[in-house]
Amino acid sequence: MLPKEEFLFLWNHATIKVLDIRYELFKPEEIGKSYKLPANMFLYATGGGAEVQIDLINYTLEGFHLIHGGKGTTLQIMATDKGFEYFLIFYRASIPLTSNKMIARALQTNNPFNYQYSLVPNSPITMFEKIYFMYKKWENANSLSKFTVKSLFYQLLNEIFMQLDQDSVDIQKLNISSQIKAYLEQNYAQPLTLESIAKALRYSPSHLSIQFKQQLGCSPIEYLIQLRIEKASILLEKTNASLRDIAMGVGYSDVYYFSRLFKKRVGVSPTKFRQKQVI
């Protein structure tokens, strides 16, 4: 958890640009959606309910509720039978490279714009009115309207940070390993490399690899191999699929390579493993 004093210190030195404001409504018969956040985001729920997941952290939303998520994280929304109504505010925050060394060190250690947190606003109607007015102004798309939106966004941030400062709200650091694990779970059947994983998650390969190994004790590719072997073991045990189909199904186009890798990891060939499960 990031100390709130450092969190506010870095925000105080940031340059902010609002990138987009959206209003979205899921009707009761609609389910929801999932996508990777193109920028840092505030989600403000205003009606209905939903199960919202940002990477591997789950939130149950009913009524007014605010969530912050960082750029590159995966947002999943599963609306309840009441439907779900919410606003999204996308923004970019940066700190000039000319900042003093103390700011640079703090930013390198903890980037506050990527952190996750949620809160139920103390003044939900006031927050709703401010965000709704920002949304309507954003639709006008002229320079004065965008300047108004920017000034209102700073007021919104002030309201949020005052509550964060007063309440016992956990500000969670962006967990790169959770992002990678979620991505691999969804894409393990694809021909993945460290470079393609890093590109999809918008990190450099070296940074992604170092962070993952520090947090989980193995490389992303090592984790991917183990995940594929586990998926293949389930398919061997629970289905009658051919070895070729199973190999393809877990991301290996070469069935002979898959068989050698499986034996190396499990201790027996895929065929013998399947036979043992039947006995």
Side-chain angles (χ1 to χ4, degrees), residues 8 37 47 75 79 88 110 172 180 241 259 264 272:
L8 295 172
L37 295 179
L75 172 68
L88 290 172
N110 293 298
Q172 301 291 334
I180 300 170
S259 295
K264 181 179 179 181
K272 289 187 177 180

Side-chain angles (χ1 to χ4, degrees), residues 3-4 8 12 17 35 42 46 59 88 97 103 108 129 131 142 165 172 174 183 186 188 202 205 226 232 257:
K4 289 176 185 173
L8 295 172
N12 197 41
K17 181 177 178 61
Y35 60 93
F42 285 104
T46 59
Y59 304 93
L88 290 172
L97 296 176
I103 297 173
Q108 187 175 15
E129 291 174 341
I131 293 174
N142 61 48
D165 191 49
Q172 301 291 334
L174 178 67
Y183 181 79
Q186 295 172 2
Y188 66 86
R202 301 178 184 177
Q226 188 57 40
Y257 175 77

Side-chain angles (χ1 to χ4, degrees), residues 26 31-37 41 43 50-59 61 67 73-79 84 86 182 186:
F26 290 124
I31 299 174
K33 64 180 179 180
S34 172
Y35 60 93
K36 189 174 297 297
L37 295 179
M41 169 222 71
L43 182 154
E51 294 294 327
V52 174
Q53 184 180 79
I54 300 180
D55 282 344
L56 300 181
I57 300 179
N58 297 302
Y59 304 93
L61 306 188
I67 295 177
T73 54
T74 300
L75 172 68
Q76 294 181 311
I77 300 174
M78 295 294 291
F84 188 51
Y86 61 99
Q186 295 172 2

